[in-house]
Amino acid sequence: MVDRMQRWVSAGHKAAPIEKMMTPVIHALGHKDCELIQRDRRALDIHNLTETGVIHPTEQHMMEFNDLLTQSYLWVLGAYEIIRSICERLEGDPRHSIAREAKYVFERVRMPLAKMATANRYSADSPIAYPALNLDYGIAWQVQESVFITRYELSDTFLNFLEAL
């Protein structure tokens, strides 16, 4: 996890020439990403122990899962706003296309989460992003019958985008 956090620190500094106040926000989002990855792993461990009958889920487990889901939701909204802001500021810059692509990936989940509406580009999606647990990565949202997007995938998209700036 140290390597991932170091990537976030380096990537956050790449946004400074665009807007220096984005750097501490990106660092905070990176720190939260690393925390959420660890919490996803714990949720998956509890899920696996429950599925095999080793433990029974407790009220505490459910409260932890609901908090994880809420924190993941808020992380998506915050990350999207940074990407959207960068995209606006890069209008006319050759890097605008990579910003726009990252924004499109995020808006597929962000629109149904924040507005309970389908993103225009994804008219076949549900207007509601239903929470789910991906057995490899943790928190995810279902946007179509067979389409699930994990917070981890969004995180990688954001991190890779920043590194490409």
Coordinates of all heavy atoms in Angstrom, one line a residue, residues 64-107:
E64 N -20.2 -1.5 9.5 CA -18.9 -1.3 8.8 C -19.1 -1.3 7.3 O -18.5 -0.5 6.6 CB -17.9 -2.3 9.2 CG -17.4 -2.2 10.6 CD -16.4 -3.3 11.1 OE1 -16.0 -4.1 10.2 OE2 -16.2 -3.5 12.3
F65 N -19.9 -2.2 6.8 CA -20.1 -2.3 5.4 C -20.8 -1.1 4.9 O -20.4 -0.5 3.8 CB -20.8 -3.6 5.0 CG -21.0 -3.7 3.5 CD1 -20.0 -4.2 2.7 CD2 -22.2 -3.4 2.9 CE1 -20.1 -4.3 1.3 CE2 -22.4 -3.5 1.5 CZ -21.3 -4.0 0.7
N66 N -21.8 -0.6 5.6 CA -22.6 0.5 5.2 C -21.7 1.8 5.2 O -21.8 2.6 4.3 CB -23.8 0.8 6.1 CG -24.9 -0.2 5.8 OD1 -24.9 -0.8 4.7 ND2 -25.8 -0.4 6.7
D67 N -20.8 1.9 6.2 CA -19.9 3.0 6.2 C -18.9 2.9 5.0 O -18.6 4.0 4.4 CB -19.1 3.1 7.5 CG -18.2 4.3 7.6 OD1 -18.8 5.4 7.6 OD2 -17.0 4.1 7.6
L68 N -18.4 1.7 4.7 CA -17.5 1.5 3.6 C -18.2 2.0 2.3 O -17.6 2.7 1.5 CB -17.1 0.1 3.5 CG -16.3 -0.3 2.3 CD1 -15.0 0.5 2.1 CD2 -16.0 -1.8 2.3
L69 N -19.4 1.6 2.2 CA -20.2 2.0 1.0 C -20.4 3.5 0.9 O -20.2 4.1 -0.2 CB -21.6 1.3 1.0 CG -22.4 1.4 -0.2 CD1 -21.8 0.9 -1.5 CD2 -23.7 0.7 0.0
T70 N -20.7 4.1 2.0 CA -20.9 5.6 2.0 C -19.5 6.3 1.7 O -19.5 7.2 0.9 CB -21.4 6.0 3.4 OG1 -22.6 5.4 3.6 CG2 -21.6 7.5 3.5
Q71 N -18.5 5.8 2.3 CA -17.2 6.5 2.1 C -16.7 6.3 0.6 O -16.1 7.2 0.0 CB -16.1 5.9 3.0 CG -16.3 6.2 4.5 CD -16.2 7.7 4.7 OE1 -15.3 8.4 4.3 NE2 -17.1 8.3 5.5
S72 N -17.0 5.1 0.1 CA -16.7 4.9 -1.3 C -17.5 5.8 -2.2 O -17.0 6.4 -3.2 CB -17.0 3.4 -1.7 OG -16.2 2.6 -1.0
Y73 N -18.8 6.0 -1.9 CA -19.7 6.9 -2.6 C -19.1 8.3 -2.6 O -19.0 9.0 -3.7 CB -21.1 6.8 -2.0 CG -22.0 7.9 -2.3 CD1 -22.9 7.8 -3.4 CD2 -22.2 9.0 -1.5 CE1 -23.8 8.8 -3.7 CE2 -23.1 10.0 -1.8 CZ -23.9 9.9 -2.9 OH -24.8 10.9 -3.2
L74 N -18.8 8.8 -1.4 CA -18.2 10.1 -1.3 C -16.9 10.3 -2.0 O -16.6 11.3 -2.6 CB -18.1 10.5 0.2 CG -19.4 10.6 0.9 CD1 -19.2 10.8 2.4 CD2 -20.3 11.8 0.4
W75 N -16.1 9.2 -2.0 CA -14.8 9.2 -2.7 C -15.0 9.4 -4.2 O -14.4 10.2 -4.9 CB -14.0 7.9 -2.5 CG -12.6 8.0 -3.1 CD1 -11.5 8.4 -2.4 CD2 -12.3 7.7 -4.4 NE1 -10.4 8.4 -3.3 CE2 -10.9 7.9 -4.5 CE3 -13.0 7.2 -5.5 CZ2 -10.2 7.7 -5.7 CZ3 -12.3 7.0 -6.7 CH2 -10.9 7.2 -6.8
V76 N -16.0 8.7 -4.8 CA -16.3 8.8 -6.2 C -16.7 10.3 -6.5 O -16.2 10.9 -7.5 CB -17.4 7.8 -6.6 CG1 -17.9 8.2 -8.1 CG2 -16.9 6.4 -6.6
L77 N -17.6 10.9 -5.7 CA -18.0 12.2 -6.0 C -16.9 13.2 -5.9 O -16.7 14.1 -6.8 CB -19.1 12.6 -5.0 CG -20.4 11.8 -5.0 CD1 -21.4 12.4 -4.0 CD2 -21.0 11.7 -6.3
G78 N -16.0 13.1 -4.9 CA -14.9 14.0 -4.8 C -13.9 13.8 -6.0 O -13.4 14.8 -6.5
A79 N -13.6 12.6 -6.3 CA -12.6 12.3 -7.4 C -13.2 12.9 -8.7 O -12.4 13.5 -9.5 CB -12.3 10.8 -7.5
Y80 N -14.5 12.7 -8.9 CA -15.1 13.2 -10.2 C -14.9 14.7 -10.3 O -14.6 15.2 -11.4 CB -16.6 12.8 -10.2 CG -17.3 13.4 -11.4 CD1 -17.2 12.9 -12.7 CD2 -17.9 14.6 -11.3 CE1 -17.8 13.5 -13.8 CE2 -18.6 15.2 -12.3 CZ -18.5 14.7 -13.6 OH -19.1 15.3 -14.7
E81 N -15.1 15.4 -9.2 CA -15.0 16.9 -9.2 C -13.6 17.3 -9.6 O -13.5 18.3 -10.3 CB -15.5 17.5 -7.9 CG -17.0 17.4 -7.8 CD -17.8 18.0 -8.9 OE1 -17.4 19.1 -9.4 OE2 -18.8 17.4 -9.4
I82 N -12.6 16.6 -9.1 CA -11.2 17.0 -9.5 C -11.0 16.8 -10.9 O -10.5 17.6 -11.7 CB -10.2 16.2 -8.6 CG1 -10.3 16.7 -7.2 CG2 -8.8 16.4 -9.2 CD1 -9.8 18.1 -6.9
I83 N -11.5 15.6 -11.4 CA -11.3 15.3 -12.8 C -12.1 16.3 -13.7 O -11.5 16.8 -14.7 CB -11.8 13.8 -13.1 CG1 -10.8 12.8 -12.5 CG2 -11.8 13.6 -14.6 CD1 -11.4 11.4 -12.4
R84 N -13.3 16.6 -13.3 CA -14.1 17.6 -14.1 C -13.4 18.9 -14.1 O -13.3 19.6 -15.2 CB -15.5 17.7 -13.4 CG -16.4 18.6 -14.2 CD -17.7 18.9 -13.4 NE -17.4 19.6 -12.2 CZ -17.0 20.9 -12.0 NH1 -16.8 21.6 -13.1 NH2 -16.8 21.4 -10.8
S85 N -12.9 19.4 -13.0 CA -12.2 20.7 -12.9 C -10.9 20.7 -13.8 O -10.7 21.7 -14.5 CB -11.8 21.0 -11.5 OG -13.0 21.2 -10.7
I86 N -10.2 19.6 -13.8 CA -9.0 19.5 -14.6 C -9.4 19.5 -16.1 O -8.8 20.2 -16.9 CB -8.1 18.3 -14.3 CG1 -7.5 18.4 -12.9 CG2 -7.1 18.0 -15.3 CD1 -6.8 17.1 -12.4
C87 N -10.4 18.8 -16.4 CA -10.9 18.7 -17.8 C -11.3 20.1 -18.3 O -10.9 20.5 -19.4 CB -12.1 17.8 -17.8 SG -12.6 17.3 -19.5
E88 N -12.0 20.9 -17.5 CA -12.4 22.3 -17.9 C -11.1 23.1 -18.1 O -11.1 23.9 -19.1 CB -13.2 22.9 -16.8 CG -14.6 22.5 -16.7 CD -15.4 23.2 -15.6 OE1 -14.8 24.0 -14.9 OE2 -16.6 22.8 -15.4
R89 N -10.2 23.0 -17.2 CA -9.0 23.9 -17.3 C -8.0 23.5 -18.5 O -7.2 24.3 -18.9 CB -8.2 23.8 -16.0 CG -8.9 24.6 -14.9 CD -8.2 24.5 -13.6 NE -8.7 25.4 -12.6 CZ -9.7 25.2 -11.7 NH1 -10.3 24.0 -11.8 NH2 -10.1 26.1 -10.9
L90 N -8.2 22.2 -18.9 CA -7.3 21.8 -20.0 C -8.0 21.9 -21.4 O -7.4 21.5 -22.4 CB -6.9 20.3 -19.8 CG -6.0 20.0 -18.7 CD1 -5.7 18.5 -18.6 CD2 -4.7 20.8 -18.9
E91 N -9.1 22.6 -21.5 CA -9.8 22.8 -22.7 C -8.8 23.5 -23.7 O -8.1 24.5 -23.3 CB -11.0 23.8 -22.5 CG -11.8 23.9 -23.8 CD -12.7 22.7 -24.1 OE1 -13.2 22.0 -23.1 OE2 -12.8 22.3 -25.3
G92 N -8.6 22.9 -24.9 CA -7.6 23.4 -25.9 C -6.2 22.9 -25.7 O -5.4 23.2 -26.6
D93 N -6.0 22.2 -24.6 CA -4.6 21.6 -24.4 C -4.6 20.2 -24.9 O -5.7 19.5 -24.9 CB -4.4 21.6 -22.8 CG -3.0 21.1 -22.4 OD1 -2.7 19.9 -22.6 OD2 -2.3 21.9 -21.8
P94 N -3.5 19.7 -25.4 CA -3.5 18.3 -26.0 C -3.9 17.3 -24.9 O -4.4 16.2 -25.2 CB -2.1 18.1 -26.4 CG -1.5 19.5 -26.6 CD -2.3 20.4 -25.7
R95 N -3.7 17.6 -23.6 CA -4.0 16.6 -22.6 C -5.5 16.6 -22.3 O -5.9 15.7 -21.5 CB -3.2 17.0 -21.3 CG -1.7 16.9 -21.5 CD -1.0 17.5 -20.3 NE -1.3 18.9 -20.2 CZ -1.0 19.7 -19.1 NH1 -0.3 19.2 -18.1 NH2 -1.3 21.0 -19.1
H96 N -6.3 17.4 -22.9 CA -7.7 17.5 -22.6 C -8.4 16.1 -22.9 O -9.3 15.7 -22.2 CB -8.3 18.6 -23.4 CG -9.8 18.7 -23.2 ND1 -10.8 18.2 -24.0 CD2 -10.5 19.3 -22.1 CE1 -12.0 18.5 -23.6 NE2 -11.8 19.1 -22.4
S97 N -7.9 15.5 -24.0 CA -8.6 14.2 -24.4 C -8.4 13.1 -23.3 O -9.4 12.4 -23.0 CB -8.0 13.7 -25.7 OG -6.7 13.4 -25.6
I98 N -7.3 13.1 -22.6 CA -7.1 12.1 -21.5 C -8.0 12.4 -20.3 O -8.5 11.6 -19.7 CB -5.7 11.8 -21.2 CG1 -5.0 13.0 -20.6 CG2 -4.9 11.1 -22.3 CD1 -3.6 12.7 -20.0
A99 N -8.1 13.7 -20.1 CA -9.0 14.2 -19.0 C -10.4 13.9 -19.3 O -11.2 13.4 -18.4 CB -8.8 15.7 -18.8
R100 N -10.8 14.1 -20.5 CA -12.2 13.8 -20.9 C -12.5 12.3 -20.8 O -13.6 12.0 -20.4 CB -12.4 14.3 -22.4 CG -13.9 14.3 -22.8 CD -14.1 14.8 -24.2 NE -13.3 14.1 -25.1 CZ -12.4 14.6 -26.0 NH1 -12.2 15.9 -26.0 NH2 -11.7 13.8 -26.8
E101 N -11.6 11.5 -21.2 CA -11.8 10.0 -21.1 C -12.0 9.6 -19.7 O -12.9 8.8 -19.4 CB -10.7 9.3 -21.8 CG -10.7 9.4 -23.3 CD -12.0 9.0 -24.0 OE1 -12.5 7.9 -23.6 OE2 -12.5 9.7 -24.8
A102 N -11.2 10.1 -18.8 CA -11.3 9.8 -17.4 C -12.7 10.3 -16.8 O -13.3 9.6 -16.1 CB -10.2 10.4 -16.6
K103 N -13.0 11.5 -17.3 CA -14.3 12.0 -16.8 C -15.5 11.1 -17.3 O -16.4 10.9 -16.6 CB -14.5 13.4 -17.4 CG -15.7 14.1 -16.9 CD -15.8 15.6 -17.5 CE -17.1 15.8 -18.0 NZ -17.3 17.0 -18.7
Y104 N -15.4 10.6 -18.5 CA -16.5 9.8 -19.1 C -16.6 8.5 -18.3 O -17.7 8.0 -18.0 CB -16.2 9.4 -20.5 CG -16.4 10.6 -21.5 CD1 -15.9 10.5 -22.8 CD2 -16.9 11.8 -21.1 CE1 -16.0 11.5 -23.7 CE2 -17.1 12.8 -22.0 CZ -16.6 12.7 -23.3 OH -16.8 13.7 -24.2
V105 N -15.4 7.9 -17.9 CA -15.5 6.7 -17.1 C -16.2 6.9 -15.8 O -17.0 6.2 -15.3 CB -14.0 6.1 -16.9 CG1 -14.0 5.0 -15.8 CG2 -13.4 5.7 -18.2
F106 N -15.8 8.0 -15.1 CA -16.4 8.4 -13.8 C -17.9 8.7 -13.9 O -18.7 8.3 -13.1 CB -15.7 9.5 -13.2 CG -14.6 9.1 -12.2 CD1 -13.4 8.6 -12.7 CD2 -14.8 9.1 -10.8 CE1 -12.4 8.2 -11.8 CE2 -13.9 8.7 -10.0 CZ -12.7 8.2 -10.4
E107 N -18.3 9.4 -15.0 CA -19.7 9.9 -15.0 C -20.7 8.8 -15.1 O -21.8 8.9 -14.7 CB -19.9 11.0 -16.1 CG -19.9 10.4 -17.5 CD -20.0 11.6 -18.5 OE1 -19.8 12.7 -18.2 OE2 -20.3 11.2 -19.7

